[in-house]
Every structure is written in C-alpha cells, then in structure tokens.
Amino acid sequence: MRFKRLVFLNVIFLSLILLPNAVSYAQSVQASSLDGTFYPKDKDELESMLERFFSSAFVPEIKSEIIAVIVPHAGYVYSGEVASCAFKALIDKGYNTVVVLGISHRHYFKGVSVLDKDAYITPLGSCQIDRDFSQKLIGFDEGIYFLEKPFNGENSIETQIPFIQYALPKARIAAVLIGDSSYQTCLLLQKALCEAIGRRKDVVIVISTDMSHFLPDKKARAIDSLVISRLEAFDPQTLYSFLFNMNDTNRPCGSSAIVSGMLTASELGAGVVNILRYANSGQVSGDYDSVVGYVSAVILRAKEQSNGKMQDNEEGYAMEGFLNLSQKKRLLQIARSSIKDYIEGAGSKKLPEDEDKVLNSQMGAFVSLHKAGRLRGCIGNIEGRGRLCQTVADMAVQSAVGDPRFNPVTADELDDIDIEISVLSPLKRINDPDEIIMGKHGVLVRDGFRTGVYLPQVAVETGWSREQFMRSLCSQKAGIHPDAWKTGACQIYVFTAEVFGEKENN
C-alpha cells in the first residue's frame, strides 16, 4: 500500500514538472499543404528563393506609415518577385501582428472564418498566431467564426506565411478568410478589424489577391491597368461596385479582400495607394496567350491635411529654368544608371547625399521612357516626398519595370530607350479654371481621395483644348464627372514642370 502511494506521488510530481512541455506539445497547429507545389518543400531551397526575391526587389523610400499591403498569391515561380516588393517594404517597421486577408477559393460559406489555432507550420518552422487578436475578431459578431475546412489547401492565406516569416520573423499572424462576397460582409469585417486594431500602430494588413485570369497578355494588361487606377483612386465603396460588375476572368479573385482591406485602411487613416510592381505569368512561362496578373502595392496613411483640405502652396508655382545644364545631366545619368543596375540584377540603391543642394531638395518628378518615338513607360511622384535625386532614381526604375501598361524593359532594349525627366513645382490651388495655361501648366484634380493628373506636355502632345484636357483629366484619370472642374465639385491644382531629356542634353 505504501509502495503504491509513493508511485502515485511520483507520477503527480513528474506530471507537474513536464506539464509546460506537454502543453507546448499539444498546441493546435495548421500544417502547410502547398509546400512542394506553390513553393519549395525543402527549407534551404525556400530560404534561398526568398533571399533571391528580396535582394532584387525594388522598393522606393517610403516615409509614410504603411497600414496595409496588396500582394499576389500564386506559385512563387510566377508571383514571388512581385510579392516580395510589398513585404520588403515592411522590414524593420516594428509590426508585431500581421493580418492576412484572403478569400476562400474552394469552399463557400457565409461571413468570415478566422483561424483559431496556435501556429501555422511551414518548411521555415512555426509561425505563431496572435490568438488574442483572433479571438477579438471571432467575438465581435456571429458572422465571424472559426470554420476549419476552408483553410486546408487555401493558397490565398498559405502563400503569404513564408514571406511573413522571412520579412518579419518575430511577428504573429491572424489568418482571415472571407466566405461570401457581399458588401455587408466587407463592412462587417472592417468594423471587426478596426475594433481589434484600435490605436495599435504595430498591426499591418496583408490583402491577398491575384489580378485578371487567363486572358491574352495585351487584354490582361489593359484590364489590370484599369483596376489599378481604381485602386489608386481610393474609394472602396465605388471600387466594390466596379469590381463586382466585371466578369470573373477580368475581376481580381480577391476582390472582397481588397474592398474589406481598403475599407479598414481608410477608417484607420489611409488615403494613398502606391503601386510597387506589376507583372503577369507570361513573363515567366512565355505563354502570352493566357496570363494571370499580379500587383504589389502599399497603402499609406494620408498626407496631413488642414480642415480636410490639402495645404496650398503660398510660394507660387513658376519654376522654369531653375535647373542648370550640369544638374540636368546628373539627373539623367542617375536615371539611366538606376535602370541599368536594376535590370542587370544589382537591385535598387539608396543614393548618397549629393553636394548639390538642388538635387537634395524635396521635389516631385516624373520619368518617361520612349522607344522609337513611342512611350515605353512613365511613372512619377506628383508631390515631393524625398530628395529629388532619389525620387528620379526610384521613378526611373518604376517606369522601366512597374508601368502596368507595358512589359518590363529588358537589358537588350536599354540602348534604344530615351529618357525624359519632368521636375515639378509645388502644387498651387486655383479657383478659376481660366487660370490654366495650356502647355505651361500641369493640372491635378482632387475629389476626396480620387485624384487625376496630367503633365504640361500632355496638352502639347494631344493638341487638346482646355475643355478636352480637363474633361479627360476628370473622367479618365480621376474617375469623376467630366464636368466636375466646371461645377466646383473638385479641387484644382496647377504646377509647372522643367522637362528635359537625353536627346537635348547629348
């Protein structure tokens, strides 16, 4: 009897010692199911692939707070380079919780399912789930709950996990799947996310979506470009109507995730979408008859405003002739070398401080590429957010590889590309459209978060009248009523640009 009692006490004692390990071992986990298909199963191979993606990813300097990112969710061979741009932008930004918003591809259900487990296991190891955050979502409304089956084999969630493990190794995740595409569900998820995030600044949202599916390259680029312009307009409610009036092959597969994420980001103070990279599967497979589009973007906190209006520039806007020949040549040299370095695999570079004060001043700039007299890419930053020389370097690379209207520039094309740079004056608010001087002024129109801009040279190249210019700017670029500029329904800003190119400076 005494012996049995001693054995019983020993068992109790050992159980108490081993209890923490037992609890750890009993953790509920979500095992990866796409390794070996969407991404490598071997840990070393996967790490090597991610390292290659991140080392070559181009990310311009981003000073604003990133509230959300948009990334693709296809096989890494096809979309990994695009996805890495957005994830690279998150490195060292202090994010502790990453909310992954995906859509259920294979299982329909009402409302939203949140993964209620302890960890997600991939070849890179265990990615801890923020259980407290997940429980807040589940407890918000009966339309948000845990349904396990849709997470099994769901690429909109799983493809993001290794990227998060690589870029933010200490962060925890919340995995959220949208089951139905109603606007009511998008609004429900927005309210739950805003409640769970509260005032936290260490939470970032990852919106998982591919673009158009299985269209010919040219048609896919045209449709994706239209969708991207709607993303940049930053009007989630209008975006929902636009996306769900498209047919299935044209519409991004993660449309409800996009709308939910943008609704949430807007409520949290975001107002700007910056596109980092666009590509499609044809650039990898060589099959341009049936492609899938991919986009990488960051959603940023809106620029500080006063009384809901953009701060006007009180210093005027005439800047013609302020750059000397040496400064122009230096900027053109920076643009060409930045494109060459990036295309040849050296990656993007942060330029050192230049002795020239003008090149280090904060100004907006556009970089346009032409080949045989035809546009080959054009991207810019309308408002200066950093040093002019760095802006030109960043926009040059983006014009070469990130303009969704064109295939990326190849190394073989470099010698045939002509570079043109437009350095912009600060914006000046005007109330009378008659102040616009065609050919001299570039114009930006703004209605809430919807904006559109034309550079001064557009009027010269098209031969448009002021009426044609402004109607096109409002309807085609900003997505607002074509007569908004006449009726006072939008704000109008003018600026000038110093335009110069390699041909005139050789």
Side-chain angles (χ1 to χ4, degrees), residues 134-150:
S134 300
Q135 286 291 336
K136 286 181 180 179
L137 295 178
I138 293 172
F140 182 80
D141 185 273
E142 63 182 12
I144 303 176
Y145 49 94
F146 173 41
L147 186 63
E148 184 171 14
K149 188 176 181 180

Side-chain angles (χ1 to χ4, degrees), residues 43-207:
K43 178 177 183 289
D44 292 338
E45 184 181 351
L46 177 55
E47 284 183 338
S48 177
M49 175 180 276
L50 290 169
E51 183 178 357
R52 186 170 71 254
F53 289 158
F54 277 80
S55 64
S56 63
F58 170 78
V59 180
E61 185 177 9
I62 300 173
K63 293 185 177 180
S64 299
E65 179 188 350
I66 301 174
I67 294 179
V69 297
I70 301 174
V71 292
H73 55 228
Y76 283 17
V77 171
Y78 298 101
S79 67
E81 290 187 357
V82 177
S84 63
C85 294
F87 283 109
K88 187 174 182 177
L90 301 180
I91 294 176
D92 296 329
K93 293 291 196 300
Y95 297 110
N96 293 315
T97 298
V98 181
V99 182
V100 184
L101 298 187
I103 54 98
S104 180
H105 283 88
R106 299 165 186 84
H107 303 281
Y108 174 81
F109 57 92
K110 292 288 289 183
V112 177
S113 176
V114 178
L115 187 60
D116 191 19
K117 294 190 177 184
D118 295 303
Y120 209 120
I121 307 299
T122 78
L124 298 183
S126 174
C127 182
Q128 292 299 303
I129 291 174
D130 190 331
R131 203 71 184 266
D132 291 339
F133 189 95
S134 300
Q135 286 291 336
K136 286 181 180 179
L137 295 178
I138 293 172
F140 182 80
D141 185 273
E142 63 182 12
I144 303 176
Y145 49 94
F146 173 41
L147 186 63
E148 184 171 14
K149 188 176 181 180
F151 285 97
N152 298 326
E154 179 48 66
N155 57 292
S156 69
I157 298 294
E158 185 173 326
T159 53
Q160 313 307 338
I161 310 303
F163 278 104
I164 295 168
Q165 289 174 296
Y166 188 92
L168 303 168
K170 295 182 180 180
R172 295 177 296 170
I173 67 165
V176 181
L177 270 181
I178 301 170
D180 73 88
S181 57
S182 69
Y183 191 66
Q184 289 72 23
T185 294
C186 295
L187 283 174
L188 172 64
L189 182 53
Q190 174 224 355
K191 293 175 183 177
L193 286 169
C194 288
E195 176 77 17
I197 294 171
R199 296 180 178 275
R200 288 179 62 179
K201 300 296 185 182
D202 64 337
V203 180
V204 67
I205 299 168
V206 171
I207 300 168

Side-chain angles (χ1 to χ4, degrees), residues 392-468:
V392 167
D394 294 344
M395 295 305 102
V397 173
Q398 281 297 291
S399 296
V401 302
D403 191 326
R405 298 170 295 178
F406 305 96
N407 289 324
V409 172
T410 65
D412 293 338
E413 292 181 276
L414 282 176
D415 291 341
D416 299 322
I417 295 291
D418 293 314
I419 299 174
E420 180 182 86
I421 297 173
S422 301
V423 178
L424 312 183
S425 73
L427 297 172
K428 179 180 177 61
R429 174 83 178 272
I430 64 170
N431 295 315
D432 185 356
D434 287 342
E435 294 183 44
I436 300 170
I437 302 174
M438 300 300 292
K440 175 183 179 181
H441 291 152
V443 182
L444 179 145
V445 293
R446 183 185 298 273
D447 180 6
F449 289 125
R450 300 181 188 179
T451 61
V453 62
Y454 274 146
L455 295 176
Q457 53 265 46
V458 171
V460 177
E461 294 167 355
T462 61
W464 283 338
S465 65
R466 184 189 291 117
E467 176 92 10
Q468 293 170 315

